[in-house]
Amino acid sequence: MATHETELKWIDDMKFDVYQNSKTIRIDANPDEATSTGVRPKALILSSLAGCTAIDVVELLNKMRVQFSDFSIKVTGELTEEHPRTYKTVTATYALKLQDPAEKDKVEKAVKLSQEKYCGVSAMVRQFADLKYEIVYLQ
Amino acid sequence: MATHETELKWIDDMKFDVYQNSKTIRIDANPDEATSTGVRPKALILSSLAGCTAIDVVELLNKMRVQFSDFSIKVTGELTEEHPRTYKTVTATYALKLQDPAEKDKVEKAVKLSQEKYCGVSAMVRQFADLKYEIVYLQ
């Protein structure tokens, strides 16, 4: 049976290191970005979604031989008012520059396949949030 | 309305940087840990859970004036066979060394409060997986 594992270790105060795939991610509960030494944990779910669908879309565009550059994904999560605060709406905004603007339909197909079929993180997020996505074409 | 945001940028090949709270997390689809330059995205959900509940538990133990050391949390996610692969069972194993072993009930209370009341990530994970937890006391 396939399993994934991560391990967190307490450093001091409200700082923690999480070991994942032999790499370390520093987590720090300090909400002040200027002095915080790490990321806040909840938004790692948004980063997880961005990474999962990015891999799918880049792979699919390569297979379709679509030439592109400046590929990015912004993921926004809107929190519930009530506690515990969870993401009630999650929006993924894909942006990229196409060499051939006539290939927009291929991009739309790749994003749709990832969001609705391939990306396991999207499937999980959809169990607790309203998941939306949009595509922006850069000039 | 409170929102969280992360932004991913494609670097090259199957490598991406995600910007979160002014920090960068490298994502790399390469499954070979020896040559991969980053983490795989799906397990960031497990790291998110570890960080969220760790902050709660350390904060609660501090409030209860419980003296502890060697605090860690291992999170394991068991994947579904069918695609898209999601986590069907998630297990968080808390480990710590107590100065006074008579305070185990306080640790159990703190973990239970985090898992069932405070931790938003636990609440989200519970929407798609069977979420279990256990506590190991180190000597």
Side-chain angles (χ1 to χ4, degrees), chain A residues 3-20:
Chain A
T3 59
H4 288 168
E5 192 179 289
T6 72
E7 185 163 15
L8 167 146
K9 285 182 193 296
W10 178 49
I11 306 302
D12 59 34
D13 193 22
M14 284 294 165
K15 298 186 194 77
F16 307 87
D17 275 339
V18 196
Y19 303 89
Q20 184 184 323

Side-chain angles (χ1 to χ4, degrees), chain B residues 15-29:
Chain B
K15 298 185 194 77
F16 308 87
D17 276 339
V18 196
Y19 302 89
Q20 183 185 322
N21 310 128
S22 315
K23 305 291 178 295
T24 309
I25 299 167
R26 166 61 61 93
I27 286 175
D28 189 339

Side-chain angles (χ1 to χ4, degrees), chain A residues 5-6 18-25, chain B residues 39-41 43-44 47:
Chain A
E5 192 179 289
T6 72
V18 196
Y19 303 89
Q20 184 184 323
N21 309 131
S22 316
K23 305 291 179 296
T24 309
I25 299 167
Chain B
V39 297
R40 273 166 290 155
L44 282 173
S47 294

